[in-house]
Amino acid sequence: MKTRIQRLQQLRKALLDLHKALVDSERVSYEKTLGAISSPSHFLQLLTSDPWFGWLHPLSQLIVAMDEALDEKEPLTTAAIDVLVKQTRLLLVASESGEGLSRHYFDALQRDPDVVLAHAEVARLLGPRKGPG
């Protein structure tokens, strides 16, 4: 049986894969709309500062929060792991009528099978949603 920490590590890895699929998908969309990105450094600049990619920042921040939690000297508590899992569930909600991340996430899921596959792995690791209390 896997420990909660191992599950969090797996979830983090799946989120990294999802993040990469989303970044790749957004890059294709950006280049179709605005033209080719000239270099890797230009792409990094766009990722960090261009509003086109800004919707990805909350996902990046969640992955960083997981990294920091996993690197802490103090052992991770069940409550801390549960908070990160809950944040993942709340963040990864695709909505056609939503705004920000939820709308962009919906669009990416509609256009890119790699995003769908990466999303499916995250959803598998999260398991079914539990009802209230």
Side-chain angles (χ1 to χ4, degrees):
M1 181 152 209
K2 293 182 178 167
T3 68
R4 293 179 75 81
I5 291 175
Q6 288 171 322
R7 286 187 165 181
L8 183 61
Q9 290 168 332
Q10 286 182 321
L11 180 58
R12 179 200 163 276
K13 165 78 169 76
L15 286 172
L16 277 174
D17 292 344
L18 176 60
H19 187 269
K20 181 181 182 335
L22 289 167
V23 166
D24 291 347
S25 182
E26 274 307 297
R27 180 178 185 153
V28 169
S29 181
Y30 180 95
E31 289 183 330
K32 281 182 181 175
T33 305
L34 299 172
I37 297 171
S38 60
S39 68
S41 62
H42 182 223
F43 184 49
L44 180 60
Q45 180 183 5
L46 290 171
L47 270 177
T48 57
S49 61
D50 192 288
W52 186 286
F53 297 95
W55 70 273
L56 291 165
H57 293 176
L59 181 56
S60 303
Q61 291 166 342
L62 177 60
I63 294 167
V64 168
M66 287 183 178
D67 288 342
E68 290 172 348
L70 288 164
D71 287 343
E72 284 290 324
K73 291 183 179 165
E74 295 296 316
L76 261 175
T77 64
T78 298
I81 292 170
D82 289 347
V83 165
L84 291 167
V85 170
K86 182 178 181 182
Q87 287 176 331
T88 303
R89 284 186 193 281
L90 292 173
L91 187 63
L92 296 182
V93 174
S95 173
E96 185 174 13
S97 60
E99 296 178 4
L101 188 137
S102 65
R103 175 57 198 239
H104 288 284
Y105 193 44
F106 176 87
D107 292 342
L109 285 164
Q110 299 306 305
R111 76 172 172 256
D112 195 324
D114 290 338
V115 172
V116 173
L117 292 172
H119 169 83
E121 179 60 12
V122 171
R124 183 188 71 76
L125 291 169
L126 287 172
R129 289 185 183 267
K130 294 184 173 110

